[in-house]
Amino acid sequence: MRYYVSFLFCLYSISCICQSEVAYELIDTQGDIKLYSKKDTKSGFIEYKAELSSSRINFKDVLHIFSDYENHNTWIYNCLESKLLKRDSNEVYLYQTVKSTWPLKNRDYILRFTVNEVTETHVDLRYEAASHYIPDLNEYVRIEEMSGRWDVKTNGRATTVTMYGSFNPKLQIMPTIFQKKYVKLIPLSTLNKLSEKLLSIQN
């Protein structure tokens, strides 16, 4: 019975891995960055995956930049402000505002981060919207549906940072061309700026 349960668990794990691999398709490669598009995108959502892999960046430096929450606006795409609301051993609440293209109002959101140290060389950071943690501010449109993950690992030769994102920008109509643009632009800009910060630390 024990071997049967173990066999079923292995099948389930393989199934999950396969599903995660087929959910995205590679759409572009720019330098050390690979960009992916989700095949079945939720209606009204922008969803993406991107990967930065380089031997020139340091695993611990990545974690340091991530944990510097109030400076996320220096590398997150279009982020205007990043404010730490609460922090304990493995949970963080973060308030951020982002610039929107005129004539749209700027957006804001609250994220609840959880940090999981899988191994000494692999850290998994997950986030989800915590919209009601602070009241809405009239000058912004509150993004209430947002989730994602940062996966950071090293094999001793290269460090790989993988970002997954899914959010509803709260647009009544979102043209396909707009969606395709930001599926690439958001992760590409973010990972390029992150890479620049990491390389500047090395210098």
Side-chain angles (χ1 to χ4, degrees), residues 88-105:
D88 56 28
S89 58
N90 67 338
E91 186 175 87
V92 169
Y93 282 85
L94 188 65
Y95 173 77
Q96 293 184 338
T97 62
V98 291
K99 182 180 179 181
S100 295
T101 305
W102 186 91
L104 300 176
K105 292 180 69 174

Side-chain angles (χ1 to χ4, degrees), residues 8 15 31-32 38 40 43 60 75 78 104-105 107 116 128-129 139-140 144-145 149 153 166 168 184 187 192 195 200:
L8 288 180
S15 173
D32 295 328
K38 192 172 183 182
D40 299 313
S43 178
K60 291 185 178 180
W75 56 277
N78 267 4
L104 300 176
K105 292 180 69 174
R107 268 56 176 163
N116 177 31
E128 60 182 359
E139 59 185 303
Y140 300 105
E144 299 174 340
E145 297 174 282
R149 178 163 68 94
K153 61 180 66 174
S166 174
N168 183 352
K184 293 179 65 172
N192 269 324
S195 179
S200 69

Side-chain angles (χ1 to χ4, degrees), residues 20-195:
S20 65
E21 287 179 349
V22 300
Y24 295 88
E25 57 184 356
L26 181 67
I27 56 174
D28 198 5
T29 299
Q30 297 198 23
D32 295 328
I33 299 172
K34 293 181 179 179
L35 301 168
Y36 298 82
S37 174
K38 192 172 183 182
K39 292 185 177 180
D40 299 313
T41 305
K42 296 179 189 176
S43 178
F45 277 69
I46 294 175
E47 299 184 280
Y48 51 80
K49 171 188 173 183
E51 179 184 282
L52 166 67
S53 185
S54 174
S55 60
R56 299 178 298 160
I57 61 177
N58 182 273
F59 175 76
K60 291 185 178 180
D61 289 342
V62 177
L63 301 183
H64 173 72
I65 289 176
F66 279 177
S67 63
D68 187 10
Y69 293 101
E70 297 207 330
N71 279 310
H72 278 201
N73 59 305
T74 62
W75 56 277
I76 295 288
Y77 174 75
N78 267 4
C79 187
L80 298 172
E81 175 190 14
S82 186
K83 183 177 180 181
L84 182 63
L85 301 177
K86 178 185 175 182
R87 181 177 189 174
D88 56 28
S89 58
N90 67 338
E91 186 175 87
V92 169
Y93 282 85
L94 188 65
Y95 173 77
Q96 293 184 338
T97 62
V98 291
K99 182 180 179 181
S100 295
T101 305
W102 186 91
L104 300 176
K105 292 180 69 174
N106 290 345
R107 268 56 176 163
D108 72 349
Y109 48 84
I110 302 96
L111 296 180
R112 174 182 172 269
F113 275 90
T114 54
V115 182
N116 177 31
E117 186 176 333
V118 183
T119 67
E120 292 183 353
T121 58
H122 182 193
V123 175
D124 179 61
L125 302 94
R126 296 175 185 261
Y127 62 86
E128 60 182 359
S131 303
H132 303 297
Y133 193 79
I134 61 173
D136 288 3
L137 302 176
N138 291 332
E139 59 185 303
Y140 300 105
V141 173
R142 175 66 50 86
I143 293 180
E144 299 174 340
E145 297 174 282
M146 176 181 282
S147 62
R149 178 163 68 94
W150 290 91
D151 192 73
V152 187
K153 61 180 66 174
T154 183
N155 59 13
R157 298 183 302 276
T159 296
T160 300
V161 181
T162 307
M163 63 182 295
Y164 300 81
S166 174
F167 71 98
N168 183 352
K170 298 187 77 169
L171 298 176
Q172 292 183 346
I173 299 176
M174 185 165 62
T176 302
I177 190 171
F178 176 91
Q179 185 182 37
K180 288 183 177 180
K181 173 184 176 181
Y182 286 99
V183 161
K184 293 179 65 172
L185 181 59
I186 293 173
L188 181 61
S189 173
T190 298
L191 289 181
N192 269 324
K193 288 185 178 179
L194 175 62
S195 179

